[in-house]
Amino acid sequence: MLLLCVTGLPLIFHEEIDDLLHSQVKPAEVAADAPLADLDHLLANAIANAAGQVPHFLIWDRDDPNAMFVSVGPSITSDPSKNLLIRMDAHTGAYLDAPDVTGRFTYIMLKLHTDMFAGLPGKLFLGLMGILFCVAIISGIVVYAPSMRKLSFGTYRAGRTRVVRWLDVHNLAGILLVAWTLVVGFTGVINTWADLVLKMWQYGQLAEMTAQYRDRAPPAKLTSVNAAVEVAAHAVPGMTPSFVAFPGSIFSSKSHYTVFLRGNTPLTSRLLKPALIDAETGTLTDSRDMPWYVSTLFVSQPLHFGDYGGMPLKILWALLDVLTIIVLVTGIYLWVRRRRAGVSVDRVIAHSSGVESPALSS
Amino acid sequence: MMSRKSMHRTLRQIFIAPLLVAIVSTLGLVGALVGDGWWDALAWVTLAVPVVLYSLFIWWRKPN
């Protein structure tokens, strides 16, 4: 848990850290209402800069409306987690850069935080740790009561030995943080199931939506992706495109573009809605809301990352994370102390208080 | 010194303050999801509560 809290801390500010450590090509300065590039033109430019690669996804940058990403891999069936992200200018359609992020500090932190470089088993292991973390919080609430029987809320016995002071710190910080740690802990657990949830969607709703295409040969020539996005945006009014999955990629069928659209509030911008566009005819096949298990995953993401309320929320997230580290460190200390003493911390405290201030001993 | 019995606090006395803090922080966590602007500000204020309380109790207490 300590590893997760420590690696999570820089991840809260991953964009700012990347900006600081790595220079990137800036998109052209344009007026706020400047027209967007034709997506087919943008895509062609991206592929021209990635010899031998095929596009999997076309992604709008959430944080920078002037930039887009094209995610490419060696073949359409290759593992998309190893894809290269090409940054493109959303207005001119020009190639910006395609940095290798795998050596970056934030990438290493992210891998340590999500799967410890061990793939799905690593994720599920950390998910299990997250569940134990939540159980530990609940048991902490339970033992808070006897511990505070004789103390008022927020008691900090500054003049006492370290074990007493750290117990007070552990109790106070732990109980203050209960709501936040439970929310961040549990949504973190849900995030470790992301791969499984998306697989479930792929074999469930997506397979259902594209069932009549199952035996059809993939289109020989793809229709315009720009037109596909327009058809999708027209079919689902009030939503903004978030990304396009190309035919044959994991989030689409062999015969469709899947255009994922998002809403415009912090909550609905996380809830993607797929619109399937036939890549041979360019017409809309189907569009449905995501099933509840995918929506749960989408909602749990911002609640874990803390990236949905501007910079002040990120700073608070970091402060709360530091307090959680304090709870963990004091908790480990108290546990070691208790094991070494062979008696409960309460007994140690009773003993030490007797030594320090005989008047208070019972 | 008070008698031992009068110093014992009930579960309600023990958990009332932590419960309020938990409710307030949950409001903030959910609030910022609902909207931007004032909703974000609500989250900033409510999630600062545990941090501020911690600082008050641990660092800015009166020396006794």
Side-chain angles (χ1 to χ4, degrees):
Chain A
M1 282 322 302
L2 207 51
L3 169 84
L4 292 180
C5 283
V6 172
T7 55
L9 194 55
L11 287 177
I12 300 169
F13 302 106
H14 68 98
E15 284 157 24
E16 290 75 15
I17 294 173
D18 277 345
D19 276 351
L20 200 69
L21 293 181
H22 310 278
S23 59
Q24 55 178 11
V25 182
K26 292 221 161 27
E29 299 270 344
V30 289
D33 56 352
L36 293 167
D38 177 81
L39 296 174
D40 296 295
H41 167 67
L42 181 144
L43 184 68
N45 280 347
I47 296 304
N49 281 284
Q53 308 272 315
V54 294
H56 284 206
F57 313 111
L58 178 67
I59 306 158
W60 281 260
D61 191 334
R62 284 184 72 94
D63 307 304
D64 183 0
N66 300 319
M68 292 186 70
F69 298 104
V70 181
S71 173
V72 297
S75 79
I76 196 66
T77 50
S78 63
D79 178 2
S81 69
K82 297 193 171 63
N83 276 7
L84 179 68
L85 273 183
I86 307 176
R87 272 179 75 242
M88 304 296 292
D89 190 310
H91 296 288
T92 66
Y95 172 88
L96 295 175
D97 54 9
D100 175 21
V101 297
T102 56
R104 288 183 173 184
F105 169 72
T106 47
Y107 178 82
I108 294 165
M109 289 295 119
L110 181 68
K111 292 300 274 183
L112 283 174
H113 189 81
T114 52
D115 64 4
M116 303 190 297
F117 294 95
L120 187 59
K123 275 188 190 167
L124 296 178
F125 171 75
L126 289 179
L128 184 67
M129 291 297 111
I131 292 173
L132 293 179
F133 178 63
C134 293
V135 171
I137 295 167
I138 310 257
S139 71
I141 300 173
V142 173
V143 300
Y144 179 77
S147 191
M148 297 304 284
R149 278 267 177 237
K150 292 190 245 171
L151 301 168
S152 59
F153 175 68
T155 296
Y156 177 61
R157 290 162 288 184
R160 303 280 288 274
T161 55
R162 183 192 277 171
V163 69
V164 181
R165 281 182 282 125
W166 283 28
L167 176 70
D168 287 345
V169 165
H170 184 78
N171 276 336
L172 175 62
I175 206 72
L176 283 172
L177 292 182
V178 160
W180 185 81
T181 44
L182 276 178
V183 166
V184 172
F186 189 65
T187 52
V189 171
I190 293 175
N191 277 315
T192 65
W193 302 332
D195 293 358
L196 304 178
V197 165
L198 294 174
K199 272 270 174 293
M200 249 172 96
W201 174 74
Q202 205 185 335
Y203 289 109
Q205 192 185 56
L206 181 63
E208 212 176 276
M209 287 164 86
T210 59
Q212 75 269 36
Y213 284 81
R214 194 176 300 140
D215 302 319
R216 196 180 291 189
K221 190 175 177 300
L222 299 181
T223 54
S224 152
V225 66
N226 199 69
V229 171
E230 270 171 20
V231 169
H234 189 70
V236 190
M239 294 182 90
T240 320
S242 171
F243 78 96
V244 181
F246 281 81
S249 67
I250 56 163
F251 296 132
S252 197
S253 81
K254 283 180 294 188
S255 316
H256 291 91
Y257 288 114
T258 310
V259 182
F260 290 84
L261 301 119
R262 60 179 179 85
N264 297 310
T265 71
L267 181 65
T268 59
S269 74
R270 308 287 170 164
L271 296 172
L272 300 178
K273 181 171 182 165
L276 289 167
I277 310 292
D278 187 317
E280 201 161 12
T281 63
T283 53
L284 179 81
T285 305
D286 199 350
S287 175
R288 298 184 196 174
D289 284 321
M290 287 283 201
W292 66 269
Y293 51 87
V294 183
S295 301
T296 307
L297 171 68
F298 286 154
V299 174
S300 74
Q301 285 176 337
L303 284 171
H304 187 73
F305 305 149
D307 59 351
Y308 61 108
M311 184 44 78
L313 193 66
K314 286 187 178 186
I315 293 170
L316 279 169
W317 227 252
L319 290 173
L320 293 165
D321 189 29
V322 168
L323 284 181
T324 309
I325 294 174
I326 293 177
V327 175
L328 291 171
V329 170
T330 53
I332 293 168
Y333 172 78
L334 293 169
W335 178 75
V336 168
R337 190 60 203 256
R338 172 181 170 173
R339 275 180 57 116
R340 212 172 51 198
V343 289
S344 79
V345 169
D346 288 336
R347 293 272 292 281
V348 174
I349 290 161
H351 175 72
S352 71
S353 66
V355 171
E356 277 184 346
S357 54
L360 278 174
S361 64
S362 47
Chain B
M1 193 176 149
M2 280 188 285
S3 80
R4 202 173 156 177
K5 194 166 187 182
S6 70
M7 282 184 71
H8 268 268
R9 298 164 72 235
T10 62
L11 280 181
R12 179 188 239 169
Q13 287 170 321
I14 291 172
F15 281 112
I16 187 74
L19 187 67
L20 285 176
V21 173
I23 291 171
V24 163
S25 5
T26 309
L27 268 179
L29 282 169
V30 177
L33 272 182
V34 177
D36 285 321
W38 285 107
W39 287 105
D40 282 348
L42 175 79
W44 302 337
V45 173
T46 54
L47 285 173
V49 167
V51 180
V52 169
L53 283 179
Y54 178 85
S55 314
L56 281 178
F57 282 124
I58 303 293
W59 290 316
W60 288 302
R61 60 181 28 260
K62 280 174 280 175
N64 41 359

